[in-house]
Amino acid sequence: MLQRDDSGIAESFDLDSLTVGDRLRLFNFTQRDNHVAYLWVLRAMNVLRAVHQVQVHTDDVAKALSELAAAHDEVPSAKDLNLRAMLDNLAAEDEQVLYKVEDATRCGNLAAYRNRQSVYQFTEIGYRVYCAVEEVIGSRVQDANLSRLVFADILADFKALATANRQGDQDEVYRKLTRLDSVLEDMTQRAARFYLTLNDVVRTTDISPETFLRYKHALLAHMSEFTAELERYAPRLAEAVHEVEDTGVETLLERAAAADERPMMRPAVRLEDWRRRWMGLRQWFLADGTDGSRADQLQGATRSAISGVIALLRQVTESRRGGVSRTTQLRHLAAWAAAAPDELAANALVAAAFDLRSVRHLSGAHDDDDQISPRSTWWEAPGVEISVSLFKHGKRPAQGGPQPVRKSRGAHARLREAQLAERAAERSAAETLLEHGPHDRVLNQAETRAVLKLLTRALEARTVVAGRLRSGTGSSDVLTLRLVPSERGSRVRTETGTLHLPGFALEIKPHGAMRRRLGSEAPRCLPIA
């Protein structure tokens, strides 16, 4: 399923083959013999573009090249380049990285006009091609990271977005939606790049394990801190998305589309674009189908990566325990073969190392090896049955097709029914607890399990500020339990005993769809009995 960060890729799928071919030809300058010189020319044009000089002459490019040469030794001299021919090639019809126009204002006389006073500027798609090339050239493994500090800002932006939509602040709605869209897209790109880089490190470890051993502790600590922060903020961010939806999604999108400042896009198209962006934001923290939310998927990918790094660390450590590894063994063997006195000696060395000359006899194993003495000669030992295919063709008989898998549908159905009954009992207990409240009564076993389960989640997601526990929240699909600091504390009476919570009171309120169905209600707290 295509998500928000794949929208540009999804749009490229709809292009016809001719358009795709035209755009791929924009990279032709990277295949020329003097491709490095072409890259420096484009860098010079980018320097001029940065100072808002859009249309440039060959003299301007030569001056920019001389300024770059003062800081970089690899810059070619403008005197050694035919700048006009290179710029014309970049502006040719088959490339169109640049756009060429004739500037008549530079012509003071007829001779100047005949000298072709052409000026050049980047095309929009050509500038994107240049940026893509620079990004590939300048990419570094050290830049890959997972951003764990951004979750607090995302939570604050969601709350501010709900407040702005509730107050009807159109400009603030547009600013917060734009910020959330860019932040989550950046986090998606960071995560994708981090896992790709991690896979490259794992794949190349067999060649140079020093790189992995140098950064193993930093990698494990970085991923562990990220997954802990994501697990702590995920339920709070899901609740914040529900709060935004409660203020009216359609109104929110209409206000964002009205404040959008893209003049070349029709209002209906802008509204549809913001609707698509909001669905991408929502899918990050709320699960619509069976695949889970994007945050859950990222959490699973991070845990799998941690397991992979630990397994690779064990493999590298065990391979180096003996002082040598497969890489060093192959290098020593190659050095011995290269230092052999002649070709026959080298062939004999390699054949001995890889056992290339061992004779493979037609043989088999006896059904009961214990009946045969290891001292028996080949002539005295009993014969072994050999299949006809092995005797005539040298191929062992096939094992046959796989046996059909036995499907215990009855057992699966019973397990499924038991699971559904257990979930229905948990939901019924939560609804009973939400309907009757915990006041002045003894909770039964099902209600006690529901309270303890949510209390465990609240303690895992608790917030500690200045060494003191401020709050904690645990949620299910029916209700939300929140730990509220209280000097009196609280206690809950159950059938098996009394649960004491010194310093905290329990606050219970509907959650998500249940809250929208029941309407706004005052939170129910567990008092001191």
Side-chain angles (χ1 to χ4, degrees):
M1 180 178 179
L2 294 177
Q3 303 290 350
R4 168 68 186 95
D5 55 303
D6 297 329
S7 58
I9 298 176
E11 292 175 359
S12 67
F13 291 163
D14 298 330
L15 297 178
D16 57 90
S17 58
L18 294 178
T19 305
V20 172
D22 291 340
R23 295 196 176 184
L24 290 178
R25 277 194 290 271
L26 293 169
F27 292 89
N28 285 348
F29 74 92
T30 61
Q31 303 298 322
R32 296 181 180 272
D33 295 336
N34 52 347
H35 54 273
V36 177
Y38 275 92
L39 181 59
W40 280 109
V41 169
L42 291 177
R43 286 172 174 172
M45 293 199 63
N46 187 45
V47 170
L48 297 172
R49 179 182 177 276
V51 294
H52 310 292
Q53 189 173 349
V54 180
Q55 295 184 346
V56 298
H57 190 259
T58 52
D59 297 337
D60 302 325
V61 177
K63 183 178 179 181
L65 282 174
S66 61
E67 293 176 357
L68 289 173
H72 306 280
D73 298 334
E74 298 82 5
V75 181
S77 175
K79 299 179 181 179
D80 301 333
L81 301 176
N82 189 349
L83 287 179
R84 176 165 294 176
M86 297 177 68
L87 294 173
D88 286 342
N89 291 335
L90 291 172
E93 186 176 356
D94 57 340
E95 293 193 17
Q96 294 183 351
V97 178
L98 304 180
Y99 180 69
K100 182 179 72 171
V101 294
E102 301 296 335
D103 188 6
T105 59
R106 293 175 176 266
C107 304
N109 50 43
L110 183 60
Y113 180 78
R114 291 174 177 174
N115 287 333
R116 294 176 54 211
Q117 297 295 327
S118 302
V119 291
Y120 305 85
Q121 70 180 59
F122 272 113
T123 61
E124 175 62 24
I125 191 68
Y127 183 71
R128 290 175 179 267
V129 169
Y130 163 72
C131 292
V133 173
E134 287 285 19
E135 183 177 0
V136 172
I137 295 175
S139 61
R140 299 184 303 173
V141 176
Q142 294 84 353
D143 293 336
N145 66 90
L146 295 170
S147 178
R148 66 177 180 86
L149 302 177
V150 75
F151 294 115
D153 295 335
I154 295 176
L155 181 61
D157 287 342
F158 270 122
K159 292 184 177 297
L161 179 61
T163 303
N165 194 36
R166 194 178 297 111
Q167 296 176 355
D169 191 345
Q170 179 175 291
D171 294 340
E172 184 68 11
V173 167
Y174 173 75
R175 284 193 291 266
K176 293 304 179 183
L177 265 181
T178 303
R179 175 181 168 85
L180 284 170
D181 180 69
S182 61
V183 168
L184 288 177
E185 184 176 0
D186 177 70
M187 188 169 65
T188 303
Q189 297 295 336
R190 283 173 179 264
R193 183 179 179 185
F194 178 81
Y195 293 125
L196 287 175
T197 304
L198 184 61
N199 288 335
D200 289 342
V201 173
V202 171
R203 180 175 53 83
T204 57
T205 299
D206 191 34
I207 301 176
S208 56
E210 294 81 4
T211 303
F212 172 73
L213 294 175
R214 189 183 307 122
Y215 299 113
K216 62 181 184 300
H217 296 299
L219 278 173
L220 292 174
H222 184 67
M223 290 187 291
S224 300
E225 292 175 357
F226 176 79
T227 187
E229 200 75 1
L230 179 57
E231 186 175 2
R232 186 165 72 94
Y233 273 96
R236 303 165 64 183
L237 289 169
E239 182 67 21
V241 174
H242 282 305
E243 292 180 5
V244 174
E245 290 183 339
D246 291 341
T247 62
V249 176
E250 287 300 323
T251 305
L252 177 80
L253 299 179
E254 290 175 359
R255 287 170 177 166
D260 197 338
E261 298 179 344
R262 288 177 288 183
M264 298 183 186
M265 188 177 290
R266 297 192 305 273
V269 179
R270 289 201 299 264
L271 179 61
E272 185 61 29
D273 180 64
W274 280 110
R275 181 175 288 106
R276 177 179 55 81
R277 295 189 184 197
W278 171 253
M279 290 304 299
L281 294 176
R282 189 181 189 278
Q283 290 172 356
W284 252 101
F285 306 106
L286 297 180
D288 292 334
T290 58
D291 296 337
S293 63
R294 297 288 301 282
D296 295 337
Q297 297 174 7
L298 184 57
Q299 186 82 309
T302 307
R303 290 172 178 170
S304 300
I306 293 175
S307 302
V309 171
I310 294 176
L312 183 60
L313 175 60
R314 186 183 301 111
Q315 177 183 351
V316 173
T317 304
E318 291 178 355
S319 65
R320 291 201 157 200
R321 186 172 299 173
V324 294
S325 63
R326 183 173 57 183
T327 303
T328 57
Q329 291 175 355
L330 292 176
R331 287 178 178 174
H332 281 294
L333 178 60
W336 292 345
D342 52 25
E343 186 176 355
L344 292 177
N347 291 336
L349 177 63
V350 175
F354 294 101
D355 196 19
L356 298 180
R357 293 188 179 182
S358 61
V359 180
R360 299 177 180 178
H361 296 282
L362 181 64
S363 62
H366 197 272
D367 295 335
D368 192 358
D369 294 340
D370 296 335
Q371 296 180 2
I372 305 174
S373 173
R375 299 180 180 179
S376 300
T377 63
W378 187 82
W379 293 100
E380 297 174 351
V384 178
E385 295 183 359
I386 300 296
S387 64
V388 178
S389 60
L390 180 62
F391 180 75
K392 291 186 176 181
H393 308 290
K395 297 181 180 179
R396 296 189 179 273
Q399 299 295 331
Q403 298 295 325
V405 179
R406 296 182 179 180
K407 298 181 179 180
S408 303
R409 296 184 178 180
H412 291 174
R414 289 192 297 272
L415 291 176
R416 180 61 176 169
E417 291 176 358
Q419 185 181 25
L420 292 177
E422 183 180 356
R423 291 184 180 178
E426 292 180 357
R427 184 177 181 86
S428 176
E431 291 177 351
T432 303
L433 185 63
L434 185 62
E435 179 180 0
H436 299 288
H439 305 286
D440 301 327
R441 68 191 189 94
V442 178
L443 303 183
N444 57 29
Q445 293 184 0
E447 293 173 339
T448 303
R449 284 196 299 269
V451 170
L452 292 178
K453 187 175 183 179
L454 296 179
L455 183 61
T456 302
R457 295 179 182 177
L459 292 175
E460 291 177 350
R462 61 190 183 275
T463 302
V464 180
V465 179
R468 299 184 61 187
L469 185 62
R470 292 296 184 186
S471 64
T473 303
S475 301
S476 66
D477 57 346
V478 177
L479 56 85
T480 297
L481 184 145
R482 184 165 176 258
L483 288 173
V484 181
S486 173
E487 296 180 357
R488 298 180 57 190
S490 61
R491 57 187 178 183
V492 182
R493 290 185 297 170
T494 66
E495 294 179 352
T496 57
T498 303
L499 174 64
H500 296 271
L501 296 171
F504 290 96
L506 295 183
E507 182 181 276
I508 296 178
K509 61 181 180 179
H511 175 74
M514 180 64 69
R515 181 183 59 195
R516 292 191 293 273
R517 187 179 68 183
L518 298 177
S520 59
E521 294 183 1
R524 299 186 175 122
C525 297
L526 297 178
I528 299 178

